[in-house]
Amino acid sequence: DAKTTQPNSMESNEEEPVHLPCNHSTISGTDYIHWYRQLPSQGPEYVIHGLTSNVNNRMASLAIAEDRKSSTLILHRATLRDAAVYYCILRDGSDGTASKLTFGTGTRLQVTL
Amino acid sequence: AAGVIQSPRHLIKEKRETATLKCYPIPRHDTVYWYQQGPGQDPQFLISFYEKMQSDKGSIPDRFSAQQFSDYHSELNMSSLELGDSALYFCASSSNPENSPLHFGNGTRLTVT
């Protein structure tokens, strides 16, 4: 599986936007970029995913670089409930089946008042 | 909306005993995944099933086995338990098409004493 690189931790103030970066320089053409987050004592939670174009949903936005070697997860207004470990994961979409997620070391986001 | 149900939530076993963890996927989801998360670690993929057939296998010990039944629920069987098997075990489910998000349960916390 292609690797991703994320900062170990980030801090944000509540109500401010947060930009979580992810580098994936060895991404292949069939890899989708997925983001999940894990709150304390809970299972991972899907946030957003994309292939080439920027994506928006109710939780976040995903900005994908033109060469696809990096991406940024954007939380528009961080709240205390957004404090979690955020995982950027490349998921192979080439074989037509629902492939596994391989979790690396994500970014621990701290949100303060 | 219905979520992934895992049972039991907590399980305490002694070394060399056996344990069975159960997972009930979201209705109409045909793919189930099992993950293990040790203390302070990231989730590690164990095994997955698609339409009741094993679809992928990760770092699952030979002492562990799993299957998906005709009603799509899955069970992870763990024998000859070791202290190092103490962890959170997550089940996730997804549907086709490929790259549908994984939906995780809240996990079973296994403690081996």
Side-chain angles (χ1 to χ4, degrees), chain A residues 32 34 36 87 93 96 101, chain B residues 33 35 37 42 98-100 102:
Chain A
Y32 284 76
H34 282 247
Y36 283 73
Y87 294 97
L101 297 173
Chain B
Y33 311 78
Y35 284 82
Q37 186 172 27
D42 302 302
E98 63 198 50
N99 275 291
S100 295
L102 273 64

Side-chain angles (χ1 to χ4, degrees), chain B residues 36-112:
Chain B
Q36 178 191 59
Q37 186 172 27
Q41 298 182 3
D42 302 302
Q44 296 296 311
F45 172 73
L46 293 178
I47 196 166
S48 62
F49 293 87
Y50 168 66
E51 284 291 344
K52 292 152 278 184
M53 299 288 290
Q54 181 181 308
S55 56
D56 202 350
K57 193 172 181 180
S59 50
I60 183 169
D62 292 339
R63 299 177 289 109
F64 294 6
S65 65
Q67 58 182 320
Q68 186 179 30
F69 294 86
S70 57
D71 63 352
Y72 293 97
H73 94 272
S74 179
E75 294 184 4
L76 177 66
N77 298 293
M78 310 160 70
S79 63
S80 303
L81 287 170
E82 301 173 357
L83 295 178
D85 296 329
S86 296
L88 266 170
Y89 290 83
F90 291 107
C91 171
S93 71
S94 71
S95 63
N96 273 319
E98 63 198 50
N99 275 291
S100 295
L102 273 64
H103 298 262
F104 285 80
N106 281 326
T108 293
R109 183 175 294 280
L110 173 66
T111 302
V112 182

